[in-house]
Amino acid sequence: MQLLDGRKVAKEMLLKLKNEVSGLEIHHILPKLAVILVGKNPASLSYIKQKQLACAETNIEWEQFDFEEDVTTAQLIQKIEELNMDETIHGILVQLPVPKHVYVPDVIRAIDPKKDVDGFTAYNLGKMFLSTDFEDLIPCTPLGIIKMIEHYKIPVEGKEVVVVGHSNIVGKPLATMFLNRNATVTVCHIHTKDLAFHTKRADILCVGVGKINLITADMVKDDAVVFDIGINRMENGKLCGDVDFENVSAKASYITPVPGGAGPMTVACLMLNTVHASKRLNNIP
Ligand code: GUN
């Protein structure tokens, strides 16, 4: 079994991006990310801290806009419209979740697709359906998985890929990217009748639903490649994924640890998208 070391791959990506950012200086471009946070959700605060550290590491500018829990959808849209117009801002991110009274589709729709570094707008999500050539600003977690696949040179074409979880920000875009790379893709979710039937057939198994020990060793094929995208906090306060790591790792050919797998890759891909957006907004290839 080989560990898919997200921390190591992310570190390499960040180093490359730092060099790329310094190369943009001669073009008078200083990539800048604007982050909107509503309330003080502890998980969101922790994610945001990781993103801010990665910005510091790559010399990407960071500006955070904090709103109280009672902010309205209209107020958030107004801030986003200001940021759309601001030429010094290249990426706009609204940290999710937001309180229930905020209507997320309207908030996301307000983001200029060129600054949509989370890849959540219908425009960017729709474009990736066409082919790899049209994958542009891609949601960061699925992009991080594909970057790890590339880094470890894991073959995809013709493979059976099973994605467990069908969210708009992880499962659906990840399945689409595997399909673009000519895998045979199955997407399982909360309504799937016999999860193990599907997961046992997977050459590449990706799981991101947020349920501790959802995937046990008997549900995994020998030598499968396993990406654990879940993040759960155990009673002892430690983080774990959705896969029973101890037993599944004995069977898998490759597996991501949690923490240290998909998480750091997500953050690195946000930096990648921000640098990409800053270049494209300034017509640099
Ligand atoms: N909440 C959980 N994951 C994400 C993410 O990738 N982006 C944003 N904006 N919010 C999140």
Side-chain angles (χ1 to χ4, degrees), residues 35-36 44 47 51 92-97 108 118 120 139-142 169-170 266 270:
V35 173
I36 294 178
S44 291
Y47 289 142
K51 293 171 186 179
I92 302 170
L93 178 157
V94 179
Q95 187 64 37
L96 300 177
I108 301 298
D118 255 334
F120 289 173
C140 304
T141 301
I169 66 179
V170 180
T266 297
L270 175 66

Side-chain angles (χ1 to χ4, degrees), residues 170-220:
V170 180
K172 287 186 204 170
L174 183 56
T176 304
M177 289 173 91
F178 276 119
L179 197 53
N180 285 346
R181 287 156 182 77
N182 301 321
T184 303
V185 183
T186 304
V187 183
C188 301
H189 43 76
I190 187 104
H191 301 289
T192 298
K193 294 267 183 329
D194 185 351
L195 180 61
F197 168 80
H198 298 284
T199 58
K200 274 188 216 165
R201 295 174 33 252
D203 299 313
I204 301 174
L205 176 61
C206 305
V207 190
V209 298
K211 211 168 159 192
I212 297 178
N213 286 337
L214 177 69
I215 304 297
T216 47
D218 56 307
M219 297 168 75
V220 178

